[in-house]
Amino acid sequence: MKKNLALVTNLYYPAKGREYYREDILLSNLLRDHFRLILVHLEDLDAIASSVDVIFIRNTGPMAEHEPLLRGLQIEKDRSIFNDLS
C-alpha cells in the first residue's frame, strides 16, 4: 500500500537561473510511482496534514516563519518531514 506524501512547493517561486517549477513537476511525476501524491503550497499544508504520512518540502521560500507549524506536524503523527527544517 502506497503512503500519502505531500510535496510542498510553490510552482511560482522566483529563482534566478533555475526553473524550480520544472524540477518539481518532474519530481512529482517520479514520486507518483511510489506514493499517493498531494501537491500543496505551504500555506495550505495544515488543511491536508492529517491525511499524509510524509511531508517533502521544496522551493517554498524562507522557512523560519513556518517552522513551528512543521515541527508540530512532525511530532503529531511521528511523520517524516524532508527537507531539513534548520
Side-chain angles (χ1 to χ4, degrees):
M1 181 174 189
K2 291 181 180 181
K3 291 190 180 253
N4 295 324
L5 181 140
L7 177 58
V8 183
T9 187
N10 179 350
L11 297 177
Y12 302 102
Y13 183 76
K16 294 179 183 176
R18 288 180 68 183
E19 294 180 320
Y20 285 126
Y21 73 94
R22 289 185 192 267
E23 294 174 10
D24 287 356
I25 290 171
L26 174 63
L27 180 60
S28 69
N29 287 330
L30 295 171
L31 289 170
R32 284 187 206 319
D33 291 339
H34 306 281
F35 297 93
R36 285 190 304 270
L37 187 72
I38 301 168
L39 196 65
V40 64
H41 283 253
L42 188 58
E43 294 80 19
D44 301 321
L45 179 59
D46 197 31
I48 59 102
S50 64
S51 65
V52 298
D53 304 300
V54 179
I55 298 171
F56 184 17
I57 302 166
R58 293 263 310 161
N59 306 318
T60 60
M63 295 296 298
E65 65 191 65
H66 301 290
E67 187 171 350
L69 166 70
L70 294 169
R71 292 272 182 224
L73 292 173
Q74 187 176 34
I75 293 167
E76 174 187 300
K77 276 182 63 176
D78 190 31
R79 73 172 56 87
S80 298
I81 296 182
F82 302 94
N83 263 338
D84 185 357
L85 297 176
S86 60

